[in-house]
Amino acid sequence: MTDPKLALSTRAVHVPAADPVGGRPLSVPIYQTSVFAHDDAKTITDALNDPRGDFAYSRLGNPTVRALEHAMAELEGAAGAVATASGMGAIAVALGAQLRAGSHLVVQRSIYGGTTGLLDDLVARWGLSTTEVDGDDPAALRAALRPNTVAVYLETISNPMTVVADLPAMCAVAREAGVLTVVDSTFASPMVCRPLELGADIVVHSATKYLSGHSDVTGGITAYADEKHFRAGWAYAATTGVTPDPFATWLIIRGLQTLGLRMRQANSNAVALAETLAAHPAVDRVHHPSRPDHPQHELARRILDGYGAMLSFDLAAGEHAARAFTASVRLIQQAASLGGVETLTVHPSSTSHRSFSDEALAAAGISRGTVRLSVGIEDPADLVADLTQALEQC
Ligand SMILES: *Cc1c(COP(=O)(O)O)cnc(C)c1O
């Protein structure tokens, strides 16, 4: 209780927190506080300097945020993890903490558009240089390395063609050369792939996608094999202020609790839809690592648990068929995101890849008849029915 001799307006300001007595909250509490009070200056200073210490100021550390960081570090087998306000924030932290003016990066071909935009900006602003290689070509990676190469940037499963990176081979080449490997594993989630176990140094996720899983929050996370890189990432995130809000973080924690169940259902739905699509006369080609004709099918069997729930397919009749398909789905929603409980579709050449020329699309393996699906957790029979009726319109 606050001192009853104080004025009412003062007592209204100083609301004491209720300490739980004799019971622990089962759900992680939302510490919706920007700052933490201490009894002496030294504990504040210590907290401000230590990502593993006490809490002083929420941009540098918050108990709700740290709960997510601990959970993700465990799932990825990491020394530590740093949560961010978005997936792009995570990528900016993973790279920003390592790069210097003039650094060279080796980057997988056809990565997420937002990341390409960030790299283009870094190149223009800080004199960075990049070399593109295929994600499953360790010889090309070896040839691309330079004395000023600081990192290799890969994606476990690419958008929208579901190219699977040969993480063991690529990480081995980078490691031998003393170069870090950074892997965007958003399309896989730790249920499908754990890049640090395969030799990567830093893994990044857009938590907006599978980790939260309900299309209701934007967030990101970086996880580090090494304590030194974790501390550098934490310092960079705290300095640039890309750390997340406790409530957004709590939504991600809540989603994470069902990640295993959701991924199991979505992965098995995706295999079923890929089969349906492959057997349909309107479809030229299905791109999903479960398909025996997928270029990295054998690699996917080796390094993934399940094949993921992202897939794309090429409609034989091209662009107008793709537009007819995305306009005809009923249960499936047309939306430019992924990884939620609901099945979504997009037409990449008019949305995520709209700035690509015909040559650039061809180089990425995308046609104007390519359609992407983010497969959700609905009953597979309902998804097959919606897919089939929409394909009738193509
Ligand atoms: C969505 C996405 C991002 C960016 O994440 P945001 O949460 O939107 O900032 C990065 N990489 C991949 C592969 C994504 O799908």
Side-chain angles (χ1 to χ4, degrees), residues 4 22 34 98 210 239 375:
S34 61
Q98 304 299 332
Y210 289 109
T239 312
V375 181

Side-chain angles (χ1 to χ4, degrees), residues 86-88 91 112 184 186-187 206 208-209 218-219 338:
S86 69
M88 285 315 302
I91 295 164
Y112 178 72
D184 181 340
T186 299
F187 273 37
S206 166
T208 314
K209 317 292 169 56
T218 300
L338 62 114

